Amino acid sequence: MTDVETASRGFSSDLTALVRCGKGPFFVKAMLNRPGGRRDSLVREALVNPTVKPVAPALLWHAENEGWVALGFEVVEGRSADFEPGSPDLPAVVDTLNWINALDPPEIARDWPETRWDRFARDKAEADLFRGEGLLHTDINPSNLIVGQDRMWAVDWAWPTRGAAFIDVACLVLQLIAAGHTAQGAESWAAHCQAWRNADPAAIDAFATATFGMYRSRASRFPDASWLDDMATAARAWVLHRGVAPRPPSPAHASCDGCSADADAHDLGLGAADR
């Protein structure tokens, strides 16, 4: 007998479900088998899983036919992390990001350079500050950090990339501000992460301004998505705290076809928990 329960997690998939069967249970993510970014994200998630199993549920099987691509993961019990000020989850969140930062990127990640923020940087020199050898989750938000009875999991590795190690921590800073922290308070949590302490402050400044530009652009394109306005507001508070005024990218850099294609492929899913 098989029981299928639609899941509340997995915003970027066509189907997410908890499947209970003789060989299960499994948490299943599935996509229509069509060429493009969303299918590619599922392929990446399967490829990166052997590396991220210390912090993520294990991939137990994958299947593909002409219509669908599906991944079956071990089921983990827990709730979404609480990012609000005073939350008892925050030390574990920091520990989890430090754990991710300590993972060695798999060889395949050399083909996954992080470029999604490039078109919002002022110029190529600033975009180059986002380069690095760190394995990045890039969608750090409360729904993707699951609090279990005695540990935390980082789930939904839908678009892992290779880049500057501080980027995941910077994504946490933005999420903490959106959850009610002051920018200073959010950065004080980031300071518990080695990748943040090792980062060039100029790189963080460039990333903060690029992030604000990204969310401001997306919010203007999708006015009905209130969560984008919320993230743009949080990003604005962050750049004001850092004393860096938002700056438009140079025309040549803003029109970079590769950067645009990469961003559209991932649909800029940062903060997808708010959708």
Side-chain angles (χ1 to χ4, degrees), residues 15-101:
L15 171 70
T16 56
L18 178 61
V19 177
R20 300 180 181 89
C21 59
K23 295 184 178 181
F26 305 108
F27 178 75
V28 177
K29 298 178 67 174
M31 299 274 199
L32 293 171
N33 197 353
R34 299 170 180 166
R38 298 185 70 204
R39 180 192 183 280
D40 291 349
S41 75
L42 211 64
V43 172
R44 281 201 191 191
E45 188 161 8
L47 290 171
V48 82
N49 187 258
T51 297
V52 303
K53 277 194 297 186
V55 294
L59 176 64
L60 302 177
W61 54 264
H62 67 274
E64 179 174 353
N65 61 21
E66 292 183 356
W68 291 85
V69 180
L71 305 180
F73 295 90
E74 69 171 318
V75 175
V76 297
E77 299 292 340
R79 58 171 175 81
S80 297
D82 180 359
F83 278 17
E84 294 181 353
S87 167
D89 296 342
L90 295 178
V93 170
V94 168
D95 288 346
T96 300
L97 264 64
N98 279 327
W99 201 352
I100 292 172
N101 180 240

Side-chain angles (χ1 to χ4, degrees), residues 218-266:
R218 295 288 288 177
S220 68
R221 290 178 60 194
F222 301 99
D224 294 334
S226 61
W227 71 274
L228 289 169
D229 274 328
D230 294 341
M231 299 307 291
T233 298
R236 182 176 184 274
W238 188 20
V239 296
L240 290 175
H241 166 71
R242 294 196 66 84
V244 287
R247 293 163 297 188
S250 65
H253 199 64
S255 63
C256 169
D257 291 338
C259 300
S260 178
D262 201 352
D264 291 340
H266 185 39

Side-chain angles (χ1 to χ4, degrees), residues 1 17 26 38 49 76 105 123 125 131 140 161 180 197 206 259 270:
M1 180 176 178
F26 305 108
R38 298 185 70 204
N49 187 258
V76 297
D123 51 32
R131 305 291 177 260
I140 301 299
T161 56
R197 296 195 298 270
C259 300
L270 303 173

Side-chain angles (χ1 to χ4, degrees), residues 85 173-174 176-189 234 237-238 241:
V173 168
L174 183 66
L176 292 177
I177 296 170
H181 294 254
T182 65
Q184 181 178 359
E187 289 195 348
S188 71
W189 280 106
W238 188 20
H241 166 71

